Amino acid sequence: MAGNPIEHCRNGDLDAREALSSLPPGVQPGCEVLARGSTWHVEASVAHADCSELHLRAPAGDARVLLWPFDRPAPAVSRRRLRVLPLAAWARGVGQTLSRDVEPRTPRARFTGEVLAYQLAPAIAMAAGAPRVLLADEVGLGKTIQAGWILADVVTREPDSRVLVAVPAGLRDQWASELVTFFSVSAARVDAAWLRAAVADRPADVSPWAAPGVYLASIDFLKRADVAASLSGVLWDLLIADEAHTAAAPTDRHAVLAAIASVSRRVVIVSATPYSGDTAAFDSLASLGAAHGEPPPLLFRRSREDVGDPRRRRHRFVTVRIEEAESQVQRLLERYTAAVWREAPAGGDGARLAMTILRKRALSSPAALLRSLVRRQHLLRAAAPEPAQLPLFEDPPDADDALPDAALGAPGLADRRREERWLDALVAAAERVSAVDSKARLLLRLLARLDRESVVVFTEYRDTLHYLSAMLPGALQLHGALTGSERTAVQRRFNDNGGVLLATDAAAEGLNLQRRCRLLVNFELPWNPARLEQRIGRIDRIGQRRTVHALSLVARDTAEDLVVARMARRLARVAATLGDRDRLASFLTDARVALAVIGAKPLEPQDDAPRVPLRRAAAFDDTCARIASALTRAGSTAEPSGIAIARVRAGGALRPGSIALVRIAASTQRGIAAERGLAVAVEHPVSSRPSTHADARAHAREVIIRVETAAPRLPEVCEWAAEVTQVHRAAMAAALSREESMRHRRTAAIELQPGLFDRRSERAVEANHEADDERLREHQRRMRLLTASLDVRIECTVTAVLIVSP
């Protein structure tokens, strides 16, 4: 009879006198019962002359019909542990329960750190149906933790989910550590060794990414052709792209992230500097995973002031007067690079790139320029270098701050002897100015005045870092040639002992240096204003208690005045798009002053600054505050087991009776939990005080049966159920829309060219079609599941009883 429909039945078809016997207390529609070794929900009862039909449904969704009295189900409450506690212990347990069931879409994750309200907002928005989110809070406000809340919520609600976290290689250890430390989520750290083992352990037709879980990989590893190919047939429940500004189009990084995002049900883009005045780069990030007709990603862009941190930051450009010999080198280099730029043949981007590198390195230090010039001499005289090829089974090297040989070796002037004469003159001039570096002298004077104050000195190039380290014995160094463990050791040593730290941008991502340091020096001006913000953000982070000071050294009468002008123009676009209060846009005031002083001309108004379409997230302040307060009270303690019972005498506002705390659970028809809430039910007066624990348990058992039967009809339960159902259906509808748009995407077609001696091309095309077919089947399965999950079932269970006796 398991398949009998119940739509045509109504409870109590016959008068109770015609039935063989009435059902026992607690065995009635809406209650949980124990039958045949399992727990069931009673959906309906149909009375007959000699028996009663009980239509039951299991949490997994299975349905069954049993006959009373041939089967004798018992109320599930009889098996639940009833604990009689002192009033104080009962109140503590009730407080923990209240902390866990506060608001719809409360993140279902255990967090062991300090719960900050604003960090919950992205997880709440994504749980409510937002398919794409851009986390763009200022540097140091905990975007990794915010993305962790989203990740932990997804894997808790959907244990069979598949999650990919794509990060710069230098951040893999930090991400893995924070996921375990704060969320108890263990991620598979994907590298070449992992991929080899995964391929070896699975059949040839099973993807190494097929199993549910959290995968953590570097973006540069994912962009490899062999790795990208293995990702082609996989659907992801969540993609998180950290430091996404490093993967703007047109790059291989952007191509692989765009391919993965197009088959991801949820996309989280993380960057403190998503828009630095380059509209095309921002648009490429905002379009990651965009479906046809889908709105832009939901933008979370909060400043320190927005999250209640009034601490100020001070930044200024420091002009440096350079010596005549340094000016001569700059003018000589300008003439040489201008000549190469003019004579570069059509499509001669290589020569112009080489000149750009020389100009940038000349603004950094004489040592960086000298080494670049000598290296260019050697490369032009030698045979063309062989193009580098990555090993087949090793990780790609991290992008670092080393000398770019491939770019510096590009031919320049058509007359080779003329170019050699230019380079000889430049090398001689660079050697002469090595002893009169005005920037280095200013830096040494500044450090001498600090009186052992800790300071971080940033430079773009490793050559300049080594050059400065020779002047600063004992200074710590962080650069792209260090391994992950070496970087961690240097960071720990600096945070413990302070001192002087020399760092390049290649080692800057993910650094937390705020414990002992509040001063930062930019030895040369980065050409991208976003990089300036990223550098200062290493010490201006959560946990910094002092005002942060940042100095950017700018050489007068050099190309750095042009850099300031370019930076000011880009910052004007940022201010027009994100607002003048934005932290990145705040550099505009400094840039205007520097441009007037260094370049001797004011910045012209930017009336035509582009306004990138943005969709800012709505404020969740009150909701987040309530959830954060509740989660803080709950902490990481385990949820109390059983039903807590306490006794108290009536008096004051407490009238005789029984007060029950009712947990309301909304679950889908397949038994998947959607939301939880709480309600309070008051029972009829108590005639006498239960004198023993056994009497209290017996009285509570009767109260529980009556309350759980009547609770679904309570006004507050009905109101909660209506709100939850609306939120849940909206989230499911958004997920269905996203799934429908993904369903129509097909793998890029492979051009078929039949082979002469084998069928490799045909097999590749067949595999392509099979992958598309498998993805289509998975989309269809997912859409059926989402459709079946549109409606929720409300269940009420008592978690605590307070007996108020006369």
Side-chain angles (χ1 to χ4, degrees):
M1 300 178 65
N4 286 358
I6 63 172
E7 287 78 1
H8 64 283
C9 304
R10 59 186 178 88
N11 297 335
D13 279 342
L14 301 179
D15 189 274
R17 291 171 296 179
E18 299 178 24
L20 176 67
S21 59
S22 61
L23 296 173
V27 181
Q28 49 198 328
C31 293
E32 301 292 323
V33 298
L34 292 170
R36 301 190 181 184
S38 300
T39 302
W40 303 83
H41 177 80
V42 182
E43 291 191 324
S45 64
V46 182
H48 298 282
D50 54 354
C51 64
S52 294
E53 289 182 25
L54 294 177
H55 294 258
L56 311 178
R57 186 172 295 276
D62 298 333
R64 181 163 297 184
V65 177
L66 300 182
L67 296 179
W68 169 271
F70 307 105
D71 276 286
R72 294 183 177 269
V77 67
S78 64
R79 298 287 185 89
R80 280 185 265 173
R81 182 184 176 196
L82 304 179
R83 301 176 301 138
V84 181
L85 302 174
L87 186 60
W90 181 89
R92 284 196 299 271
V94 169
Q96 291 182 3
T97 301
L98 290 171
S99 300
R100 287 180 171 82
D101 303 289
V102 192
E103 297 277 347
R105 298 298 166 185
T106 297
R108 301 298 185 198
R110 292 210 177 276
F111 184 68
T112 56
E114 179 184 2
V115 180
L116 301 179
Y118 73 90
Q119 294 183 342
L120 301 174
I124 295 172
M126 186 150 273
R132 296 189 302 137
V133 164
L134 174 54
L135 300 183
D137 286 350
E138 288 181 358
V139 175
L141 293 185
K143 290 180 293 300
T144 302
I145 296 298
Q146 296 179 55
W149 275 110
I150 295 174
L151 185 152
D153 188 45
V154 168
V155 299
T156 302
R157 292 178 186 269
E158 304 173 18
D160 58 346
S161 58
R162 189 185 296 115
V163 177
L164 177 63
V165 184
V167 303
L171 298 184
R172 281 182 300 184
D173 292 344
Q174 178 179 326
W175 261 90
S177 174
E178 293 193 5
L179 286 178
V180 170
T181 301
F182 293 111
F183 299 100
S184 301
V185 173
S186 180
R189 296 184 55 191
V190 175
D191 53 18
W194 178 91
L195 189 57
R196 287 198 303 270
V199 170
D201 290 344
R202 289 169 173 79
D205 59 342
V206 176
S207 169
W209 313 90
V214 179
Y215 299 88
L216 177 60
S218 77
I219 303 174
D220 285 326
F221 181 74
L222 295 174
K223 76 180 185 183
R224 285 176 40 170
D226 56 327
V227 181
S230 70
L231 288 163
S232 61
V234 181
L235 291 174
W236 298 94
D237 294 286
L238 172 65
L239 167 67
I240 298 176
D242 194 14
E243 301 294 349
H245 57 273
T246 65
T251 60
D252 291 341
R253 291 177 175 178
H254 181 268
V256 71
L257 287 181
I260 299 171
S262 68
V263 290
S264 298
R265 296 182 173 107
R266 306 173 185 88
V267 178
V268 177
I269 307 164
V270 184
S271 173
T273 53
Y275 181 56
S276 58
D278 187 338
T279 305
F282 176 78
D283 288 344
S284 70
L285 294 182
S287 64
L288 284 174
H292 178 69
E294 193 173 70
L298 200 58
L299 173 68
F300 288 87
R301 178 73 172 174
R302 276 100 34 120
S303 66
R304 294 194 178 283
E305 292 80 5
D306 294 334
V307 302
D309 183 356
R311 182 175 44 81
R312 296 182 60 193
R313 175 206 286 183
R314 293 189 174 94
H315 170 267
R316 69 187 180 97
F317 293 106
V318 178
T319 58
V320 181
R321 294 184 179 273
I322 61 176
E323 301 286 341
E324 179 59 28
E326 295 173 283
S327 294
Q328 290 178 359
V329 171
Q330 294 289 338
R331 289 195 293 270
L332 191 62
L333 181 62
E334 288 174 12
R335 290 168 56 195
Y336 166 63
T337 56
V340 173
W341 203 274
R342 285 193 305 269
E343 294 187 20
D349 293 339
R352 292 181 174 181
L353 176 59
M355 297 305 100
T356 303
I357 292 171
L358 290 177
R359 294 292 296 274
K360 290 184 69 174
R361 292 174 76 86
L363 297 176
S364 180
S365 69
L369 174 61
L370 179 59
R371 185 158 185 265
S372 303
L373 291 170
V374 171
R375 186 58 180 160
R376 179 165 175 78
Q377 280 183 318
H378 173 75
L379 292 170
L380 291 178
R381 290 168 183 167
E386 290 291 330
Q389 181 172 344
L390 294 177
L392 184 58
F393 293 112
E394 299 299 332
D395 289 333
D398 292 342
D400 63 18
D401 36 37
L403 196 63
D405 283 357
L408 279 177
L413 299 177
D415 186 344
R416 184 63 61 86
R417 290 186 178 180
R418 181 180 168 220
E419 182 153 21
E420 289 180 358
R421 290 195 299 271
W422 267 114
L423 291 174
D424 289 340
L426 283 166
V427 167
E431 288 175 342
R432 287 194 298 270
V433 302
S434 297
V436 292
D437 185 357
S438 301
K439 273 191 180 181
R441 291 204 306 266
L442 177 62
L443 177 65
L444 293 176
R445 290 198 303 269
L446 175 64
L447 296 180
R449 294 171 54 189
L450 290 178
D451 190 25
R452 293 179 292 182
E453 176 90 19
S454 297
V455 60
V456 180
V457 180
F458 264 106
T459 178
E460 188 168 354
Y461 301 110
R462 197 189 308 168
D463 290 336
T464 300
L465 182 145
H466 291 321
Y467 164 72
L468 294 176
S469 68
M471 303 178 185
L472 299 168
L476 299 173
Q477 300 178 30
L478 273 173
H479 51 76
L482 301 181
T483 64
S485 59
E486 289 172 336
R487 296 183 197 185
T488 301
V490 172
Q491 179 179 343
R492 184 182 299 114
R493 184 177 171 188
F494 180 75
N495 284 331
D496 290 342
N497 305 319
V500 177
L501 174 64
L502 304 174
T504 66
D505 294 308
E509 293 169 335
L511 287 180
N512 297 303
L513 305 174
Q514 70 275 18
R515 189 190 306 172
R516 279 187 174 271
C517 184
R518 61 171 178 164
L519 176 61
L520 182 141
V521 177
N522 294 298
F523 190 71
E524 75 278 304
L525 193 62
W527 288 25
N528 187 337
R531 186 170 294 178
L532 189 65
E533 173 64 15
Q534 290 286 342
R535 289 178 177 182
I536 301 174
R538 299 309 103 203
I539 61 174
D540 194 8
R541 308 181 68 79
I542 293 177
Q544 176 64 266
R545 303 300 180 190
R546 301 177 291 174
T547 298
V548 168
H549 297 266
L551 305 175
S552 296
L553 307 186
V554 182
R556 294 197 62 175
D557 300 322
T558 68
E560 282 200 302
D561 56 355
L562 301 178
V563 176
V564 174
R566 181 176 183 272
M567 178 178 289
R569 285 192 293 271
R570 294 182 66 171
L571 289 172
R573 297 191 194 106
V574 174
T577 303
L578 301 180
D580 292 329
R581 289 183 64 248
D582 191 82
R583 179 59 59 91
L584 190 59
S586 67
F587 287 122
L588 180 60
T589 301
D590 301 332
R592 289 180 188 273
V593 174
L595 183 60
V597 173
I598 301 170
K601 62 177 182 179
L603 175 66
E604 296 180 359
Q606 293 290 310
D607 296 334
D608 59 341
R611 293 188 175 275
V612 179
L614 300 174
R615 189 167 65 105
R616 292 184 180 271
F620 291 94
D621 295 345
D622 294 340
T623 300
C624 291
R626 289 194 298 271
I627 293 176
S629 175
L631 293 176
T632 300
R633 291 196 306 270
S636 58
T637 58
E639 188 171 353
S641 61
I643 302 174
I645 304 168
R647 294 168 291 181
V648 65
R649 287 195 178 276
L654 285 177
R655 300 175 57 189
S658 299
I659 303 173
L661 184 66
V662 182
R663 169 169 291 153
I664 323 166
S667 59
T668 66
Q669 297 302 318
R670 295 181 66 251
I672 300 175
E675 296 297 342
R676 297 194 310 187
L678 292 171
V680 176
V682 180
E683 265 284 319
H684 57 79
V686 178
S687 58
S688 61
R689 175 182 174 86
S691 57
T692 65
H693 286 187
D695 292 340
R697 282 193 289 269
H699 177 84
R701 190 174 288 109
E702 295 179 2
V703 171
I704 292 167
I705 292 173
R706 290 194 298 268
V707 168
E708 290 184 350
T709 302
R713 297 185 293 275
L714 291 174
E716 57 184 305
V717 173
C718 295
E719 181 180 351
W720 181 91
E723 178 186 357
V724 165
T725 300
Q726 181 181 2
V727 173
H728 174 77
R729 289 182 67 90
M732 292 298 101
L736 268 169
S737 175
R738 175 80 178 172
E739 201 73 26
E740 176 67 25
S741 66
M742 292 168 57
R743 187 166 67 96
H744 297 292
R745 292 177 179 171
R746 309 285 290 180
T747 303
I750 298 177
E751 185 176 350
L752 176 60
Q753 182 175 354
L756 294 176
F757 305 104
D758 56 42
R759 296 185 66 255
R760 281 182 297 180
S761 298
E762 290 89 337
R763 286 196 293 268
V765 172
E766 291 171 1
N768 207 30
H769 291 323
E770 290 175 2
D772 277 337
D773 292 340
E774 177 56 34
R775 262 199 310 274
L776 180 59
R777 287 191 290 270
E778 183 170 344
H779 283 309
Q780 291 171 340
R781 288 193 296 268
R782 176 79 174 185
M783 293 180 71
R784 286 196 297 269
L785 172 62
L786 291 171
T787 302
S789 301
L790 281 171
D791 296 317
V792 294
R793 183 174 66 242
I794 306 300
E795 300 175 353
C796 298
T797 56
V798 174
T799 63
V801 175
L802 179 63
I803 303 172
V804 184
S805 56

